[in-house]
Amino acid sequence: MLSFGVMTRLATTGEVLQLIRSGEAVTRADIGRVTGLSRPAVVHRVTELLQRGLVAEDAEGPSTGGRPPVRLRFNARGGFVPVASLGASRTQIAVCDLSGAILDRTEVVIDVEEGPGVVLPLVMDTWDKLLNGRAPVVGIGLGVPATVEFAAGRTESARVMAGWTGVEIPPLIAARYPVPVLVDNDVNVIAMGEHRVAYATELDDLLFVKVSTRIGAGVISGGSILRGALGAAGEIGHIPVRDGGGVLCRCGNIDCVDSVASGTAILRDLRANGRDVHSLADVTALVRAGDAQTMAVVRQAGRWLGEVISGAVNLLNPSVVVLGGDVAEVFQPLVSGVREVVYRRSTQLATRTLRIERSRLGPAAGLTGSALLVTDRILAPEAI
């Protein structure tokens, strides 16, 4: 929240917008009182926001004597943000408003390894359909399952999404949508969405772990996403575990947690034990039926994942570990395995108040987070 306790300069139009968005100032008189701006200066800034469609006037507010004041509110429909959360085998696509609310969404099944020349045109065609004439488009947000150099929007993973390595995504999209295009790692945007919508009023430190076809993490520290020096923070999938059985990981190392505890690994191990499983839905059916072998495999995957998470808990001291993705959201034995190991192996202080929970938002977190990636940039006071 902005503070204008001691004014050393005049509040900008962008700062006035922040006051209206937060509800700290909802009338012109409020803005003048909070900022110390003169009445003409307030009128000028509010008029600019009205003309840009970022603020709307509501019915008159309660009167304190004389003519009731006109209330001002942030106009979330003053612009639209197409977003997408790419997964290894399927992609969530949506259109959001300026508050991050999802207006329309769909899911497409596509192998991300087909490369940007196939995937991005499909995503943009889908945005066209979902927009259905809505305008203006003010920015685009994208989460991709790869390491991303955030400043450039460039995918840097050489072993994952090989066809995307070194690709700067923003120019490819901006050629069709000439607006700011922001790209980040898929779990980073999921962590942002989960924190902002489900936890922001409760806590500032969160570790989100996605367990699906692959494994990754996003770190919220002090209320903000932690990307690291080059965007590689949260790559826990390639931390090795003990006694993993000597499984060769796609990265070239042995017994990475991604290679022994992901959805892909669970399917592989169950097939090796004679179970006829072709998808995670088949595994879910066996878990619900109480199949002992399936329960054991899934719980062991949870223990291996807990081994890696316990180190992250000691290092980062989050208030909550949120488990999301297809596997974590469906398999209770995996969550139980994680809890078992984390509470045993992490330090007493780090786990004193630690909660380990499933995602509250589910697949919507990645879409909302992608929208917030954009709105945090374009609605920042210095950008208005």
Side-chain angles (χ1 to χ4, degrees):
M1 181 177 293
L2 297 172
S3 175
F4 294 93
V6 178
M7 288 301 300
T8 58
R9 58 175 175 75
L10 294 179
T12 66
T13 301
E15 289 167 338
V16 169
L17 176 62
Q18 294 297 92
L19 290 170
I20 296 170
R21 290 180 69 193
S22 69
E24 190 175 351
V26 296
T27 67
R28 290 169 174 82
D30 287 344
I31 295 168
R33 174 180 52 80
V34 172
T35 64
L37 288 171
S38 67
R39 184 172 179 179
V42 170
V43 169
H44 174 75
R45 286 159 175 73
V46 170
T47 299
E48 182 180 353
L49 293 171
L50 288 168
Q51 291 174 342
R52 295 176 65 174
L54 295 174
V55 167
E57 294 181 324
D58 272 343
E60 294 176 342
S63 175
T64 57
R67 182 179 178 181
V70 175
R71 295 178 66 87
L72 301 168
R73 62 173 174 82
F74 175 58
N75 180 22
R77 299 297 174 90
F80 301 94
V81 183
V83 296
S85 182
L86 275 61
S89 59
R90 66 181 187 275
T91 292
Q92 302 277 339
I93 304 174
V95 170
C96 298
D97 66 16
L98 295 180
S99 72
I102 298 170
L103 304 179
D104 281 302
R105 62 186 288 186
T106 189
E107 179 179 284
V108 297
V109 177
I110 186 169
D111 185 352
V112 74
E113 293 284 2
E114 292 191 31
V118 174
V119 175
L120 293 181
L122 174 62
V123 170
M124 289 188 282
D125 288 345
T126 305
W127 283 334
D128 287 345
K129 294 174 184 176
L130 293 177
L131 282 165
N132 193 27
R134 291 187 182 103
V137 172
V138 294
I140 286 174
L142 197 67
V144 298
T147 303
V148 175
E149 186 180 340
F150 180 69
R154 181 171 53 243
T155 53
E156 292 291 345
S157 175
R159 300 182 180 102
V160 186
M161 294 175 62
W164 297 71
T165 301
V167 174
E168 290 191 19
I169 297 175
L172 301 179
I173 295 177
R176 182 158 164 181
Y177 291 96
V179 295
V181 178
L182 298 179
V183 181
D184 204 348
N185 171 266
D186 62 332
V187 194
N188 280 351
V189 297
I190 292 171
M192 289 176 61
E194 188 83 25
H195 175 255
R196 191 79 62 86
V197 175
Y199 291 97
T201 59
E202 301 176 37
L203 48 88
D204 291 328
D205 298 279
L206 173 151
L207 174 65
F208 190 100
V209 180
K210 180 183 178 183
V211 192
S212 189
T213 306
R214 302 300 180 192
I215 292 174
V219 181
I220 301 292
S221 178
S224 301
I225 193 71
L226 180 66
R227 295 189 177 90
L230 294 175
E235 291 286 349
I236 68 168
H238 298 286
I239 297 176
V241 300
R242 297 182 302 173
D243 304 322
V247 179
L248 178 65
C249 181
R250 60 201 163 95
C251 74
N253 291 325
I254 301 296
D255 290 342
C256 293
V257 70
D258 190 277
S259 69
V260 299
S262 64
T264 303
I266 289 171
L267 287 170
R268 179 199 64 222
D269 291 349
L270 286 174
R271 290 172 189 147
N273 281 280
R275 295 299 185 270
D276 183 23
V277 290
H278 303 281
S279 67
L280 292 178
D282 296 331
V283 183
T284 301
L286 290 172
V287 169
R288 289 175 176 168
D291 181 79
Q293 182 65 54
T294 302
M295 301 276 278
V297 168
V298 172
R299 191 175 185 100
Q300 179 57 50
R303 293 188 182 109
W304 278 321
L305 182 60
E307 183 180 329
V308 171
I309 292 175
S310 65
V313 167
N314 285 341
L315 181 66
L316 299 168
N317 187 205
S319 298
V320 62
V321 173
V322 181
L323 301 175
D326 295 342
V327 177
E329 290 168 9
V330 173
F331 300 152
Q332 179 58 41
L334 181 133
V335 178
S336 299
V338 169
R339 288 181 175 138
E340 172 191 337
V341 175
V342 170
Y343 287 123
R344 185 178 73 240
R345 296 191 55 181
S346 296
T347 66
Q348 183 178 5
L349 182 59
T351 57
R352 181 182 296 171
T353 59
L354 177 70
R355 292 143 50 190
I356 300 176
E357 304 176 352
R358 295 190 198 185
S359 170
R360 297 179 182 179
L361 297 189
L367 298 173
T368 299
S370 295
L372 293 172
L373 196 67
V374 174
T375 58
D376 283 355
R377 172 72 64 85
I378 67 172
L379 297 179
E382 60 272 17
I384 299 297

